[in-house]
Amino acid sequence: MSTILELIKKETLRQAQSIRLIASENYVSQDILIALGSSLTNKYSEGYPYHRYYEGQEYIDEIETLAIESAKKLFGAEFANVQAYSGSPANLAVYFALLEPHDTILGLSLPAGGHLTHGHKVSISGKWLNSISYGLTPEGHINYEEIEQLAQAHKPKLIISGHSAYTRQVDFKRIGDIAKSIGAYHLADISHISGLVATGVHPHPFPDADIITTTTHKVLRGPRGALILTNNPELATKIDKAVFPGLQGGPHNNNIAGIAIALEEALAPEYTQYCEQVIANAKALGEALKSKGFTLVSGGTENHLLLVDLRNKNIDGDTLSKALNSVHIETNKNSIPFDTASPFKPNGIRLGTPAITTLGLKEADMETIADFINQVVESIDNTDTLAHIKEQVIAFITQFKQY
Ligand code: DSN
């Protein structure tokens, strides 16, 4: 067996023996793994279904059409592009479709829970565009009044709603109304919450957003990739041109097939139950952590993720996430709103429940996980205790369905 195949086996085992709490990760189905590893990866297909530049597309056209139709049905959209390689290129394609260099955009700042591509200054979105950022209130909620003030003062051409580390529901209508009042486009990047939106357990950005982007591999539980959705035919044409030939070459057909399967899975009633359980588990984990003296940004959660403010625990997010990883609990360090510490040693960690909910964990199991996390904080320098916790974690998580 090649070294790479050996490493893949080790990674599969590592995932099976870990409590995976990274809010943007999940486990895909066996059908999706088959699609990803299929002959579809051998094929070039520049263009769109039934309008390609290379021959031999009869099955590829059918696959991409099925993905488009399922995306439209799941999100109630008239147009869907399924070719963007991932969330960042999807957002860039929207900017390329709608904006000129140096146009102004307004998005949630990265330290407040936004994304690099929402205008951070190290990203092309902050270098080639004039990016302005809004933040949160001291209570950890989106500061809608600040959006309004910044929109009036700077007249951005595009306002972005959506986030990577925000624990409350987004008021898409309020942001859409602000965008309308200044003639700006409203882009809702729902990458983190798209499954919740599709199943109605989080408010939908349509009709208050002009365009929706989402990755396909978070709560949505598909392979890596992205969707760009709109109900506006003019914007749809511009977006298709921006994705290809504007930004990308041949689409990743194996991923598009996996996306088509994930969307079909998400259209089934069991997926709505899954999304409801994702939120129930996040709330239960939050309450269990609070009962052990942990502080949560915004006091709790209304979606799939939690941000833990560690300042009262006398430990930073880098040290804790590494210690948790050593006992097979995967999290990521994360800045908390108004964090004065460096992003390399921030004061928070981010936790999410999409992956563990796929394994079948329920509210009562969140008590166990909160207990493991608390034990790690209390035994941070005790290698013997950490080794013992690791054994308990592996015994606990391997009781559940394996992927
Ligand atoms: N890296 C993703 C996340 O973890 O939220 C965002 O792109």
Side-chain angles (χ1 to χ4, degrees):
M1 196 183 273
S2 82
T3 308
I4 293 296
L5 294 186
E6 288 285 1
L7 289 170
I8 292 173
K9 255 174 88 177
K10 285 184 181 167
E11 171 61 12
T12 305
L13 182 66
R14 190 194 67 76
Q15 289 185 15
Q17 294 186 333
S18 298
I19 299 177
R20 300 179 56 229
L21 296 176
I22 293 181
S24 48
E25 294 183 352
N26 216 322
Y27 297 88
V28 298
S29 66
Q30 285 301 315
D31 287 355
I32 292 174
L33 287 179
I34 290 168
L36 290 175
S38 70
S39 58
L40 300 177
T41 198
N42 299 334
K43 191 75 196 115
Y44 254 122
S45 312
E46 284 98 330
Y48 287 100
Y50 309 103
H51 301 280
R52 307 277 189 184
Y53 289 85
Y54 298 5
E55 294 308 313
Q57 309 292 348
E58 44 273 44
Y59 305 115
I60 300 292
D61 281 346
E62 233 179 289
I63 288 167
E64 187 170 338
T65 304
L66 280 170
I68 291 169
E69 291 308 315
S70 294
K72 285 159 57 177
K73 192 166 170 195
L74 186 63
F75 290 97
E78 282 176 43
F79 303 94
N81 184 301
V82 300
Q83 290 196 4
Y85 298 145
S86 202
S88 298
N91 286 342
L92 284 191
V94 173
Y95 303 153
F96 193 43
L98 304 184
L99 307 174
E100 297 297 327
H102 312 297
D103 274 352
T104 301
I105 61 169
L106 174 60
L108 182 63
S109 77
L110 186 72
H115 189 258
L116 282 167
T117 59
H118 296 181
H120 193 277
K121 294 297 176 191
V122 301
S123 151
I124 190 168
S125 64
K127 281 188 190 287
W128 289 13
L129 296 167
N130 173 37
S131 65
I132 315 281
S133 297
Y134 58 90
L136 303 182
T137 63
E139 295 75 36
H141 292 244
I142 287 173
N143 192 336
Y144 295 96
E145 278 172 21
E146 188 186 13
I147 301 178
E148 198 148 15
Q149 283 159 11
L150 290 170
Q152 287 302 334
H154 298 277
K155 299 282 189 294
K157 201 162 162 191
L158 178 110
I159 300 180
I160 305 150
S161 58
H163 49 79
S164 289
Y166 180 64
T167 52
R168 295 287 158 183
Q169 292 192 346
V170 180
D171 188 343
F172 292 116
K173 176 159 180 7
R174 189 148 178 204
I175 298 177
D177 285 347
I178 296 170
K180 268 193 205 91
S181 74
I182 56 159
Y185 294 111
H186 175 199
L187 163 65
D189 176 352
I190 59 168
S191 292
H192 260 266
I193 54 170
S194 55
L196 310 180
V197 164
T199 52
V201 297
H202 186 290
H204 204 301
F206 286 154
D208 300 300
D210 300 289
I211 297 177
I212 290 176
T213 53
T214 176
T215 48
T216 45
H217 46 270
K218 299 186 172 85
V219 179
L220 199 49
R221 210 161 54 181
R224 283 169 188 278
L227 309 175
I228 310 176
L229 308 157
T230 184
N231 286 319
N232 179 322
E234 264 177 55
L235 297 189
T237 306
K238 287 183 180 177
I239 286 162
D240 280 351
K241 281 190 185 149
V243 173
F244 175 83
L247 199 62
Q248 298 186 173
H252 294 177
N253 295 313
N254 50 336
N255 282 62
I256 291 173
I259 290 168
I261 295 170
L263 295 170
E264 206 182 308
E265 290 172 356
L267 283 162
E270 301 78 52
Y271 183 74
T272 301
Q273 289 162 17
Y274 162 73
C275 287
E276 287 164 354
Q277 190 64 51
V278 164
I279 296 180
N281 282 348
K283 286 182 190 289
L285 182 57
E287 290 309 311
L289 286 167
K290 281 201 282 189
S291 74
K292 294 179 191 317
F294 286 91
T295 308
L296 303 181
V297 171
S298 91
T301 184
E302 292 171 342
N303 58 29
H304 63 299
L305 73 82
L306 298 156
L307 258 184
V308 186
D309 175 346
L310 295 167
R311 287 174 299 183
N312 66 330
K313 293 285 182 182
N314 206 22
I315 190 168
D316 66 83
D318 183 56
T319 307
L320 180 57
S321 59
K322 286 189 165 75
L324 288 169
N325 194 50
S326 77
V327 305
H328 285 215
I329 299 176
E330 276 177 69
T331 64
N332 62 275
K333 60 186 166 204
N334 216 101
S335 297
I336 54 168
F338 311 104
D339 208 337
T340 48
S342 128
F344 296 106
K345 270 202 181 294
N347 278 309
I349 54 168
R350 188 184 66 163
L351 311 175
T353 51
I356 53 171
T357 306
T358 295
L359 295 185
L361 278 74
K362 297 278 188 323
E363 286 92 326
D365 303 310
M366 301 305 116
E367 299 273 348
T368 309
I369 293 177
D371 199 42
F372 284 141
I373 294 172
N374 193 41
Q375 283 182 52
V376 171
V377 171
E378 288 181 353
S379 322
I380 201 82
D381 294 321
N382 188 331
T383 43
D384 289 344
T385 308
L386 290 179
H388 182 58
I389 300 170
K390 175 177 154 183
E391 278 170 26
Q392 290 179 309
V393 166
I394 294 174
F396 168 75
I397 199 65
T398 49
Q399 299 170 80
F400 295 92
K401 188 175 167 189
Q402 292 293 299
Y403 278 80

